Amino acid sequence: MSGCSKTCKLGFVKCAQTIFKLITGTLTKDKIEDELEMTMVCHRPEGLEQLEAQTNFTKRELQVLYRGFKNECPSGVVNEETFKQIYAQFFPHGDASMYAHYLFHAFDTTQTGSVKFEDFVTALSILLRGTVHEKLRWTFNLYDINKDGYINKEEMMDIVKAIYDMMGKYTYPVLKEDTPRQHVDVFFQKMDKNKDGIVTLDEFLESCQEDDNIMRSLQLFQNVM
């Protein structure tokens, strides 16, 4: 696998790992490796200047990411099956299929059934180098599975369960079956301020910003890249 191709794959996977650490408050600086080392200049895609203006990546970083993206996906787009295969390679001790499904649809903002390079780097830019509000809004969109503008308890449970399934026994040697449910119960109770059974974007933003663990995780990750 070329350096560019590996970088592209790691970019997808870093999104999953980041979100998991954000919601569990386990993101620590000494555990993060800078997998986006830009050690070579690759093919320059069209519209590079526009992407540079729209994201927080430099031209060189975009060149590397684009080359890797094209190596993995010569057609220029990623479908859901390819997405699942990428995650399966990096999480062999767990089942990444459901989380890859949810994350794919968060990347696929136009709901076309495919993820273009522009979709990929836009999301990666937010998660790696976006503002606190940008990162939280993106995460809210991930949890809002049916895209109705709210998160209900079932949606949160589906995402958290998928994350725990993906991490598998490698990350959690002793994982009780009801751990995801307990995690969601605590998290949802904290977020549902008016106790109406749903979490709005405002409630989500407010709750996350009140949580010191989440805020420290966001700040640490922002400083690493």
Side-chain angles (χ1 to χ4, degrees):
M1 184 188 299
S2 72
C4 292
S5 179
K6 183 179 180 181
T7 297
C8 183
K9 279 190 174 183
L10 288 170
F12 281 118
V13 174
K14 188 174 280 288
C15 293
Q17 294 172 329
T18 305
I19 293 170
F20 175 79
K21 291 174 182 177
L22 288 180
I23 67 169
T24 58
T26 58
L27 187 64
T28 56
K29 198 165 187 175
D30 61 351
K31 292 181 182 177
I32 303 173
E33 297 178 359
D34 185 2
E35 284 132 349
L36 289 179
E37 285 186 9
M38 303 308 167
T39 58
M40 57 188 295
V41 177
C42 303
H43 175 69
R44 175 181 174 179
E46 288 187 38
L48 185 65
E49 291 81 4
Q50 184 178 359
L51 280 176
E52 185 181 12
Q54 292 174 345
T55 69
N56 297 309
F57 291 122
T58 65
K59 285 184 181 179
R60 191 179 180 204
E61 291 168 335
L62 287 167
Q63 288 167 343
V64 172
L65 288 168
Y66 181 75
R67 180 62 176 270
F69 192 90
K70 291 290 287 185
N71 283 348
E72 287 302 315
C73 314
S75 65
V77 296
V78 179
N79 59 32
E80 186 172 338
E81 187 58 35
T82 300
F83 214 75
K84 289 180 178 180
Q85 291 172 4
I86 290 173
Y87 276 88
Q89 291 177 31
F90 280 88
F91 297 94
H93 299 281
D95 180 0
S97 59
M98 281 309 299
Y99 187 74
H101 167 75
Y102 294 132
L103 195 62
F104 177 84
H105 286 283
F107 272 83
D108 182 18
T109 56
T110 56
Q111 302 301 304
T112 61
S114 61
V115 172
K116 298 180 295 184
F117 177 68
E118 292 83 355
D119 301 322
F120 167 59
V121 294
T122 298
L124 201 59
S125 174
I126 291 172
L127 290 172
L128 296 183
R129 298 173 183 173
T131 65
V132 168
H133 270 229
E134 287 173 337
K135 292 175 182 178
L136 292 177
R137 283 177 180 271
W138 197 94
T139 305
F140 179 89
N141 182 64
L142 171 68
Y143 278 84
D144 181 17
I145 295 174
N146 64 7
K147 308 307 177 192
D148 63 354
Y150 306 98
I151 301 173
N152 60 45
K153 200 169 186 178
E154 289 70 28
E155 287 175 318
M156 186 174 287
M157 181 62 196
D158 287 344
I159 296 291
V160 172
K161 177 69 163 55
I163 292 173
Y164 275 95
D165 287 346
M166 175 179 65
M167 294 314 213
K169 62 182 179 181
Y170 180 76
T171 303
Y172 289 93
V174 180
L175 179 61
K176 295 181 180 179
E177 189 174 343
D178 60 348
T179 298
R181 171 63 66 182
Q182 292 175 351
H183 184 90
V184 168
D185 286 343
V186 173
F187 212 54
F188 199 86
Q189 183 177 8
K190 181 188 299 184
M191 289 190 165
D192 185 12
K193 301 288 189 181
N194 61 1
K195 309 304 178 187
D196 63 352
I198 57 174
V199 174
T200 65
L201 176 60
D202 288 341
E203 287 176 323
F204 185 83
L205 293 174
E206 181 181 351
S207 299
C208 288
Q209 290 177 94
E210 290 174 348
D211 191 304
D212 290 339
N213 287 331
I214 292 178
M215 295 309 296
R216 279 196 299 268
S217 296
L218 286 171
Q219 187 61 46
L220 280 171
F221 198 78
Q222 191 170 7
N223 290 340
V224 166
M225 297 305 294

